[in-house]
Amino acid sequence: MTPKHDDAHRWWRDAVIYQVYVRSFLDSTGDGIGDLAGVRAGLPYLKKLGVDGIWLSPFYPSPQHDHGYDVADYRDVDPVFGDLDEFDRLMKAARRLGVRVLLDIVPNHCSREHPWFRAALAAPPGSPERARFHFADGRGPGGDEPPNNWHAMFGGPAWTRVTEADGRPGQWYLHMFTPDQPDWNWRNPEITSEFDRVLRFWLDRGVDGFRIDVAAGLFKHPALPDSEDPEADARTRDSVNPLAWNQPEVHDVWRHWRSVCEEYTARDGSERLLVGEVSVPTAREHARYVRPDELHQAFFFDLLSAPWDADAFRKVIAEAMQDIAGTGSTVTWVLNNHDQVRTVTRYGEPTPEGSGLGPARARAAALLMLALPGAAYIYQGEELGLPEVVDLPDDVLTDPIFRRTGSRARIRDGCRVPLPWSGQASPFGFTPGADAAKLPWLPQPEWFAEHATERALADTNSFWHLYRDGLQLRSSLPQLGDGTLRWLDTPPGTLAFARGDGLVCAVNFRTAPVPAPVLGVPLLTSGPCPPGVLAGSAAAWWITDIAHD
């Protein structure tokens, strides 16, 4: 096969990265929780699938109130996941297989158990220890009201009052997610220095870069004023308070982090990647984060959130190509992650036809994403066609959104159920043994047997083979990966674009087949599409000109 390009310096531009949610990937110890040794054992599977690298969810020491996104120590491994020696073994195994490794870093907030926050609680108001966070006096008689009217993104107020050393009610601290996750004060230079040390610690251990959690957060308005529309800020966990989000100073942080990464790039010529979780309203604002001296990439969520509609997909793709690719970066496409309803379920509802269309649409969307210019991220289990587990009992739910709100709306446990690997019953090869004490940390439904990896590998019509074949084509066809696209005229309810010379991606968003000659070129499908049919019910096909196939 001809490689996509030979420039290792720019490997990230069209890389396909697989998100490993560590606690749900593969358990090596039998405690029902996935771990780093399990990731290492699964690397050959991921290499066979054909991805370029992996992104590991947080595995740092943590009380696990938000499953590792409440970090107590940024420079170690939580014992539930292993230790630093096991991390080093994982890195060596990944190097042997040619698999890049990205770590999830959480710079907006830490854990209430972080030593610096514990020191802040023990220190008096106005102390240097409290200046590392956002502590403020309350309003009203006795300071009984929060300093402002901000809401936390996981429900409830964004402020929690502390008890001072003398036992009296004291100041309040800011947490834009949960009280277990106090926000760092990035206006304090100590925070910049501390995260410099964190970055270098992991870069020195050989990581290829970082996925940055809440990359648009970090800085808050310096006056911490009231929100003009607090109810709007509290509507959903994805609503953004503009006073606590997308502040201009955040770009200085990413310029500095880019300079740190470039020090390491200069040593061996391979860029260390910074990819941000950037939730901003428009592609144009998104583009500001991926200017040449800031983040290399930022997840483009508009494709994920677009309704199943040809015009909607074309609009978000065109805007991304214009505004983001125009910066010199590449668009970073995603269809799912650990915070979203799984693609098969999301595309299956609500429609008059019912959820039966979900798998066909998810397959079509996967091929579309892999055909687009730029990078792509795949969430674990998407290659198995896993649906969302929507009927987990209340007593097993662990998502802090549920604990904070009492509502099951938009909770994330259903996409985090541990993967099925083999067999006909739980734990489906996820954890050694099968006694009750070793069952997975979230229960797997019986129907997971239909999606087990062992079964998917044996079925050439499975989601797994669709992804594997798509990734192989992406690697071998020079038209795919980085570059541009050219839109083609198609009937209503369909879209098609050309990549380079002689390759077309066509998607039918309708339920009826469409004749292939509408594209005006002789076509040969890259999959089992009947001759003369552009795409069957809710499907996508990569089509190559016969003369160039």
Side-chain angles (χ1 to χ4, degrees):
M1 293 191 303
T2 303
K4 291 174 287 186
H5 52 68
D6 296 323
D7 189 358
H9 180 73
R10 296 159 66 85
W11 63 270
W12 51 270
R13 293 186 61 83
D14 57 1
V16 177
I17 306 296
Y18 184 97
Q19 181 191 354
V20 175
Y21 194 70
V22 176
R23 68 185 295 115
S24 296
F25 184 71
L26 186 60
D27 170 26
S28 72
T29 64
D31 64 359
I33 298 174
D35 47 50
L36 294 180
V39 177
R40 178 161 57 91
L43 283 177
Y45 162 80
L46 297 177
K47 180 67 175 179
K48 184 175 183 179
L49 181 63
V51 299
D52 298 301
I54 58 175
W55 146 30
L56 300 174
S57 63
F59 51 77
Y60 317 108
S62 164
Q64 303 293 321
H65 294 301
D66 191 19
H67 293 321
Y69 286 91
D70 49 326
V71 181
D73 183 349
Y74 289 86
R75 293 190 287 275
D76 205 348
V77 175
D78 194 299
V80 74
F81 300 122
D83 54 27
L84 284 172
D85 287 340
E86 180 53 52
F87 176 81
D88 291 340
R89 286 190 287 270
L90 169 60
M91 287 300 305
K92 290 177 182 177
R95 285 284 171 270
R96 286 194 299 270
L97 291 172
V99 175
R100 306 272 183 172
V101 178
L102 307 182
L103 303 192
D104 203 326
I105 193 166
V106 190
N108 179 72
H109 50 265
C110 64
S111 166
R112 196 162 54 182
E113 299 302 315
H114 191 285
W116 280 13
F117 190 71
R118 288 191 291 182
L121 292 178
S127 63
E129 289 83 0
R130 290 201 173 179
R132 295 165 174 160
F133 302 90
H134 295 278
F135 278 84
D137 294 331
R139 300 190 291 192
D144 291 339
E145 299 295 325
N148 65 30
N149 64 353
W150 294 1
H151 287 277
M153 295 181 73
F154 285 179
W159 295 89
T160 291
R161 197 173 195 183
V162 304
T163 300
E164 303 294 356
D166 60 6
R168 292 183 298 178
Q171 288 189 306
W172 300 70
Y173 69 89
L174 180 68
H175 48 83
M176 292 307 299
F177 290 87
T178 75
D180 299 304
Q181 296 163 290
D183 281 34
W184 293 109
N185 177 11
W186 274 88
R187 299 184 188 280
N188 185 330
E190 275 196 272
I191 309 307
T192 299
S193 299
E194 171 63 4
F195 275 91
D196 273 11
R197 292 187 286 270
V198 171
L199 293 178
R200 293 178 187 280
F201 178 86
W202 295 108
L203 288 168
D204 288 341
R205 299 189 97 89
V207 303
D208 296 285
F210 303 93
R211 177 266 185 185
I212 304 165
D213 189 57
V214 194
L218 276 65
F219 284 85
K220 282 65 181 174
H221 190 290
L224 299 176
D226 277 343
S227 171
E228 295 181 1
D229 190 3
E231 294 307 314
D233 298 337
R235 274 197 302 266
T236 74
R237 65 176 172 84
D238 291 324
S239 294
V240 171
N241 178 347
L243 298 170
W245 216 264
N246 203 23
Q247 296 290 300
E249 298 92 336
V250 76
H251 295 282
D252 293 332
V253 174
W254 308 136
R255 291 186 185 98
H256 177 66
W257 283 29
R258 179 71 173 254
S259 70
V260 172
C261 287
E262 288 180 351
E263 289 181 33
Y264 287 80
T265 299
R267 299 179 185 180
D268 58 17
S270 180
E271 281 196 303
R272 280 23 174 219
L273 172 64
L274 297 173
V275 54
E277 181 194 32
V278 174
S279 299
V280 290
T282 67
R284 184 166 297 179
E285 289 178 275
H286 182 113
R288 295 183 63 222
Y289 285 82
V290 292
R291 289 175 289 193
D293 61 343
E294 295 193 37
L295 302 178
H296 299 83
Q297 295 176 327
F299 297 119
F300 184 66
F301 295 117
D302 290 31
L303 188 67
L304 182 157
S305 59
W308 184 256
D309 176 82
D311 292 338
F313 268 58
R314 178 165 177 163
K315 181 177 183 292
V316 299
I317 292 168
E319 288 178 351
M321 292 301 299
Q322 174 181 316
D323 294 327
I324 299 170
T327 66
S329 180
T330 54
V331 186
T332 306
W333 307 102
V334 292
L335 290 171
N336 200 253
N337 60 37
H338 65 291
D339 288 332
Q340 304 294 332
V341 173
R342 283 199 176 275
T343 311
V344 165
T345 302
R346 192 173 73 245
Y347 286 147
E349 58 183 23
T351 64
E353 299 89 347
S355 61
L357 289 176
R361 291 174 172 176
R363 291 169 71 96
L367 284 181
L368 168 66
M369 178 180 70
L370 293 177
L372 288 169
Y377 281 65
I378 300 169
Y379 178 51
Q380 67 178 39
E382 291 294 291
E383 82 283 6
L384 302 176
L386 277 180
E388 186 87 352
V389 181
V390 298
D391 56 354
L392 291 168
D394 286 358
D395 61 355
V396 305
L397 296 178
T398 63
D399 194 328
I401 296 175
F402 180 71
R403 297 198 303 269
R404 295 273 288 170
T405 67
S407 170
R408 296 177 67 98
R410 307 201 71 173
I411 59 173
R412 302 162 296 168
D413 288 306
C415 70
R416 300 176 177 184
V417 175
L419 294 184
W421 289 88
S422 61
Q424 298 298 314
S426 184
F428 297 110
F430 168 75
T431 190
D435 61 77
K438 296 181 179 179
L439 291 178
W441 67 279
L442 280 175
Q444 301 160 306
E446 293 181 3
W447 51 261
F448 257 35
E450 302 171 18
H451 300 275
T453 299
E454 181 180 64
R455 183 168 178 171
L457 290 171
D459 178 5
T460 57
N461 292 318
S462 69
F463 265 82
W464 192 90
H465 282 274
L466 178 89
Y467 270 91
R468 196 278 304 272
D469 293 348
L471 289 167
Q472 286 187 341
L473 282 169
R474 184 180 168 99
S475 295
S476 62
L477 295 175
Q479 301 99 319
L480 291 174
D482 199 358
T484 60
L485 61 79
R486 175 170 53 88
W487 292 106
L488 303 176
D489 291 331
T490 59
T494 66
L495 65 77
F497 54 82
R499 297 296 315 280
D501 183 19
L503 187 141
V504 169
C505 175
V507 188
N508 181 18
F509 288 79
R510 299 159 32 172
T511 57
V514 180
V518 297
L519 297 180
V521 293
L523 302 174
L524 179 68
T525 66
S526 63
C529 180
V533 176
L534 169 63
S537 175
W541 303 98
W542 291 356
I543 306 167
T544 54
D545 188 322
I546 293 174
H548 296 87
D549 186 54

